[in-house]
Amino acid sequence: MHFIVPQWPAPENVRAVQTVRTGGYSLPPWASFNLAGHVGDDPAHVAANRQLLAAQLPYPPCWLEQVHGTTVVDAAAAPSGSIADASFSHGPGSVCVVMTADCLPVLFCVRNGSAVAAAHAGWRGLQAGVLEQTLAALAVPPEDVLAWLGPAIGPENFEVGGEVRAAFMATDGEAQRAFRPGAPGKWWCDLYLLARQRLEKAGVRHIYGGEECTVADSARFFSYRRDGVTGRMASLIWLQPT
């Protein structure tokens, strides 16, 4: 199995990895390192992939049932499969994880190494405030937080309807910079820019990542927009004992 390691100045006790689609047991169209059990893949293959992943982690991951909402749970206390779109940890012993295949995964850490979090930010959750809710759960000044934007659908491939643009514009006129005209009634949307705008407005000054496109890179990434039936990748973060 293979990982992407975020390039950001995280504290020494913070560990974070991003899975890619290769190195697992799943067969097409979920080939091969699919970690989601809700996409039609053979459950035995998903279980084997999760076991491969777990062998690389110091603690069990806190898997979530993601619903494009804003609920944030404590990874140390939440049962596996909790309905939420983000989790946080204030100490060693748990792994925060979100799954994506075009939606934006955002990893957070506090600069002194006291807390971490992971959020699943599709456009609905992003617009509704999942990043702001995750920041609140960290319970530190936002200027002390680092954020990493993981692989997501890029601005050249994310065409949306006017209702998406209107939803973001209703709360922040600056969101217009993240949209450019597409086909009649459609707009090309820069999900990365929208996330940066939200984070900066919330007071986060240290933002990294945001250079990948899941649709464009079929060799490394699953993409629901590109393939329809496909697997899911995981973005994980945890604290090592100091």
Side-chain angles (χ1 to χ4, degrees), residues 5 26 37 128 144 178 236:
V5 177
S26 296
D144 292 339
L236 308 101

Side-chain angles (χ1 to χ4, degrees), residues 136-204:
L138 290 174
V140 299
E143 58 266 25
D144 292 339
V145 174
L146 281 65
W148 181 75
L149 311 182
I153 188 169
E156 303 299 320
N157 288 294
F158 191 26
E159 192 175 40
V160 300
E163 74 283 358
V164 177
R165 181 175 181 268
F168 281 97
M169 293 280 291
T171 54
D172 184 5
E174 281 297 302
Q176 67 177 326
R177 296 193 295 113
F179 296 88
R180 57 184 177 85
K186 300 288 187 179
W187 298 84
W188 295 105
C189 173
D190 189 338
L191 196 61
Y192 283 130
L193 178 54
L194 289 171
R196 287 179 180 275
Q197 289 176 333
R198 286 299 187 100
L199 290 168
E200 289 171 355
K201 191 172 183 180
V204 178

Side-chain angles (χ1 to χ4, degrees), residues 85-145:
D85 282 87
S87 65
F88 66 92
S89 175
H90 284 287
S94 55
V95 176
C96 301
V97 55
V98 291
M99 289 189 293
T100 58
D102 283 338
C103 290
L104 174 62
V106 182
L107 300 181
F108 299 86
C109 70
V110 181
R111 288 201 288 179
N112 66 3
S114 63
V116 294
H120 161 244
W123 78 260
R124 290 178 180 84
L126 181 61
Q127 193 278 331
V130 68
L131 299 186
E132 292 88 342
Q133 292 297 318
T134 307
L135 283 168
L138 290 174
V140 299
E143 58 266 25
D144 292 339
V145 174

